[in-house]
Every structure is written in structure tokens, then in C-alpha cells.
Amino acid sequence: MPQFNEAELTAAVIRSFDNTPNPRAKFLLQELVKSLHDYVSKTNLTFDEWDYAINFLTRTGHTCTDIRQEFILLSDVLGVSMLVDAVNHRDRDGATETTVLGPFYVGEHKVTAHGTDISEALDGERMYVQTRVTDLEGKPIANAPVDVWHADGDGYYDSQKPEFLTEGPVSRARFITDADGSFHFKTILPCSYPVPTDGPVGEMIKQTNRHPMRPAHIHFLVAAKGYEPLITHVFMEGDKYLDSDVVFGVKDELIAKIEKRSDATMPDGSKASAPWHLMTYEFHVKPGEGAPPAPLGTKPAKVSEPAE
Ligand code: BEZ
Ligand code: FE
């Protein structure tokens, strides 16, 4: 007869998963039990604290909607998203560094002509973005779809606003690379912004005296056929939150120098009515497989069988 006391309980719970048919699921569950039990023992967790945690997770779930994923935000601010990213991208071999997808990737970006101002209706200092996608040897990759998205001048993504459903995307597009692997577009200079703070995750951030800010950035998702999908951001040099991103997403290599320009025309010959900014960045992708991510954690729940 097993004794379900502090000394023997953990082993009994681990054994209860011994007959799990999927070996990866068995491993993940048994390790989860070990880590959770270790946390409870180490902290001498009280009933009130356990109750608080259950209530916090319940409220986190209730805050999720079709267009808001509070659990991803929780994972982000605890550094779990970046750790999952790190363990899955240990060998970059010269490929561009990755970072979090974030909760504002909504998929289905519209293919947009090079040179388009994707924030035409928004006030803000204009920026011309010129980029190129190559393989690890510097060979240009043509016809690669690249999704781009960023926040507006007030720090909100289009998908956080009700107009998104009626008026469509703003500061969000898909570009297809040309024969030289290049594409360019215009937009506003993005600003730093807070992650949503009106839910339980924001409450935790405030109560622990952390700030909720992300440094200014543009998201890029490069999905070239025959290459690993590249999920990354390009950050603006000089932003005051680069050292303290609330989701721990900044890597040195992803910080771009932004040049201030006052030429009357931009590199594609279009007229500039005021001083503007130039961002230049090159992405390097690694041969491989993989589908681009499903937005907002909508993928069906399934743990894959490990490869033989
Ligand atoms: C974002 O960059 O869009 C983001 C990433 C993680 C949490 C919140 C926002
Ligand atoms: Fe973002």
C-alpha cells in the first residue's frame, strides 16, 4: 500500500503515468510533476498561496478571447516563450536570431506591393525599410513571403482595436521577395509600447514593480520554402527599453541602426515631404522544414510522437 505522504507522494504520482502510450507525453508529464512538486516542497506553499495561484490562472483563462491570448502573455513575461525559442534554436549556424512571435500575429496577411506605405493613414515620422533575405552563403532567396507587423504611434496593434474587424489591417502586410531576395516598404517609425496591463498578467507586472514596456520594433516572419520559418523582430537602436524588455526578447544582432535622412526623395524615387528614417536589415535563413506558426496559440492540442 503506497503512503501518500510528503516523502512518497511524488514517486506515486510519477508512477501513475507509467502506462502513458505516447512516450514523449509520458516524459513531459512525469517531469512536470517532478518540477511542480519540487516547487511546492521548496516553498512550503500555503493554502492561501495555492488558492491565489488557482484563482490567478482561472482569471488568465477568462481573459482569453479569439483575439487575446493572456496565457501567451504570461509565458512571455515569465521568459518561458524565449526559453522555448532558445532550446529550439540552439544552432543558428549564421542564421538570423529568432525572438518571440507575440500575441498580435493574426495570420492571413495580404500580399502587398513593394514600396507601399503600410501605415498611410497614421500620423508619425516616416520610415523607409529596405531588407533582403538570403541563405547562409548570402545567396538571395526569391519569392519568399515575409509577414510584417508593428504597433501604431500610440503603441497599439490594429488587432487590439474594434475597427480591425470592419476596416481591415493597418501596419500589417505580406511582401514577396524579388529575384534579389529584396523588398522595401514605408511605414511610421515605431515606438516603444506597453504589453496589455488590464488583465491578470498586467496586475502581476504592476504588483512586482516591473515596467510593462517593449522597446520599439517591427515583427518579421520569413517563410521561404525549403528553409526554417524565421520569426523575429528588428529593434530600433537607441530605444531606452532595449536592456529591460518585459518579455526578454532583445538580442544584439536584432538591433538596427536607423539613419535620419533629409533627402527630398527616398531610395525608390518617391517624394519625401519631411525628414525621414532609413532602416536597412538583411535576414539569413537556414535550410530546413516547418510550417509558419498558427496565430494566437490556436493549434490543436497534440503532442507528436518522437521520430524513430
Ligand atoms: C509583441 O511584440 O507584439 C508582444 C510580444 C510579447 C508580448 C506582448 C506583445
Ligand atoms: Fe510587438
Side-chain angles (χ1 to χ4, degrees), residues 131-209:
T131 83
R132 192 159 171 261
V133 180
T134 79
D135 68 9
L136 301 183
E137 277 77 49
K139 190 167 115 322
I141 298 182
N143 289 320
V146 183
D147 284 353
V148 168
W149 66 107
H150 69 82
D152 67 15
D154 296 325
Y156 291 102
Y157 283 80
D158 55 356
S159 58
Q160 291 176 282
K161 297 181 165 178
E163 306 85 87
F164 180 61
L165 296 173
T166 48
E167 290 166 27
V170 179
S171 310
R172 187 182 292 276
R174 172 171 297 172
F175 297 99
I176 310 290
T177 56
D178 65 16
D180 181 44
S182 302
F183 66 94
H184 65 276
F185 61 95
K186 294 165 203 128
T187 188
I188 52 167
L189 184 70
C191 59
S192 43
Y193 64 86
V195 298
T197 52
D198 57 344
V201 174
E203 177 189 294
M204 179 183 78
I205 293 289
K206 283 185 222 155
Q207 288 178 354
T208 53
N209 289 337

Side-chain angles (χ1 to χ4, degrees), residues 114-116 128 130 184-186 265-271 276:
H114 292 194
T116 302
Y128 185 99
Q130 54 187 15
H184 65 276
F185 61 95
K186 294 165 203 128
T265 53
M266 293 187 175
D268 63 357
S270 56
K271 289 236 161 343
W276 49 284

Side-chain angles (χ1 to χ4, degrees), residues 125-126 261-263 272-277:
E125 295 177 35
R126 292 350 266 182
R261 305 293 285 257
S262 46
D263 331 20
S273 52
W276 49 284
H277 304 266

Side-chain angles (χ1 to χ4, degrees), residues 73 76 100-104 149 157 193 195-196 214 217 219 233 247:
L73 186 59
D76 293 340
V100 285
L101 178 67
F104 302 119
W149 66 107
Y157 283 80
Y193 64 86
V195 298
R214 296 221 63 208
H217 59 270
H219 294 254
H233 311 350
V247 306

